[in-house]
């Protein structure tokens, strides 16, 4: 009888698709979210049906005469909990859980009320990466000034907002400076009086935020070209060593077996030696 009532309600909702769009709900990957079943005070709820509408339509939870059921085969199986007030809790949230959800409510007089909610799930914002690029201009007499470009970014995160803050100030006015690339790049002009003045890049989405602090004057204080030369060495030297090591290993492994195949008994011995070498490497793997 309960199964027949469920299908009757679903067919009734499909035949009379009158729905009220509810609020947008936001959640974070790994967290939880509560989808509220709201109705006007005079509506005495008897049955409730929760469904996922997008990207695929799936039955999530039902309530019939006080009996709650959530064990329906869907991508949310094992991650749903229906409370006594008919709200639906989803946890832990995954990045693919964003979509539209609906709840169909039936009162004691047989009247129906459908509410649609929009869920958007965001990733937690990681700590941003900040890089400092400088252009030093030195006059014949002091003071020495430095123009710095602060670049801030986070990988593989959508709906991100970038904001810069100068430490120790309540309201950081960016008008004397310059913002580029939707706030990802900040240009500042610095002098000796800005020594020890840190800047923060604050990255946020609707559910989380993170920040990184950097002192651009430390980069300005280096001699022009000296720091960039060191940075090149820090990258070039390890890469060169790896390439040389890879070449030596390749020559050692393939040297005896490369080149043309000599004719006669000598070629056969060389081929057998290479085959035996491969066999020995296969039978005796290196164990760390």
């Amino acid at each position: 009888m309960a199964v027949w009532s469920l299908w009757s309600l679903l067919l009734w909702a499909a035949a009379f698709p009158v729905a009220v769009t509810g609020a947008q709900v936001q959640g974070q990957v790994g967290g939880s979210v509560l989808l509220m079943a709201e109705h006007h005070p005079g509506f005495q709820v008897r049955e409730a049906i929760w469904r996922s509408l997008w990207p695929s339509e799936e039955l999530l939870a039902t309530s019939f005469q006080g009996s709650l059921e959530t064990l329906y085969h869907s991508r949310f199986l094992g991650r749903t909990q229906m409370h006594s007030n008919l709200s639906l809790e989803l946890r832990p949230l995954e990045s693919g859980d964003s979509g539209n959800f609906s709840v169909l409510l039936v009162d004691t007089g047989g009247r129906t009320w459908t509410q649609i909610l929009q869920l958007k799930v965001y990733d937690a914002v990681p700590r941003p990466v900040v890089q400092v690029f400088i252009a030093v201009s030195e006059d014949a007499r002091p003071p020495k000034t430095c123009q710095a470009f602060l670049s801030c970014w986070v990988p593989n995160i959508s709906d991100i907002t970038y904001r810069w803050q100068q430490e120790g100030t309540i309201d950081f006015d960016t008008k004397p400076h310059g913002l580029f690339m939707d706030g990802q790049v900040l240009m500042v002009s610095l002098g000796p009086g800005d020594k020890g003045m840190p800047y923060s890049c604050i990255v946020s989405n609707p559910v989380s935020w993170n920040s990184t602090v950097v002192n651009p004057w430390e980069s300005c204080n280096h001699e022009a070209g000296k720091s960039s030369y060191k940075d090149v060495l820090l990258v070039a030297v390890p890469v060169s060593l790896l390439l040389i090591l890879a070449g030596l290993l390749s020559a050692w492994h393939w040297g005896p077996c490369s080149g043309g195949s000599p004719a006669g008994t000598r070629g056969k011995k060389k081929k057998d030696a290479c085959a035996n070498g491969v066999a020995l490497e296969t039978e005796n793997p290196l164990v760390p």
Side-chain angles (χ1 to χ4, degrees), residues 91-104:
R91 64 175 181 180
L93 290 173
E94 301 175 358
S95 57
D97 290 343
S98 297
N100 295 336
F101 297 79
S102 74
V103 56
L104 171 64

Side-chain angles (χ1 to χ4, degrees), residues 262-277:
T265 305
R266 183 180 177 184
K268 184 176 184 301
K269 289 181 178 180
K270 182 177 181 181
K271 182 177 181 181
D272 293 342
C274 293
N276 292 337

Side-chain angles (χ1 to χ4, degrees), residues 242-256:
L242 287 176
L243 290 176
I244 294 173
L245 181 59
L248 292 175
L249 291 175
S250 177
W252 173 78
H253 185 273
W254 296 106

Side-chain angles (χ1 to χ4, degrees), residues 193-222:
D194 296 309
K195 180 180 180 181
M197 179 61 68
Y199 288 80
S200 296
C201 175
I202 304 171
V203 185
S204 61
N205 63 14
V207 297
S208 64
W209 66 276
N210 214 323
S211 66
T212 295
V213 180
V214 66
N215 189 346
W217 181 253
E218 293 180 355
S219 299
C220 292
N221 202 29
H222 291 304

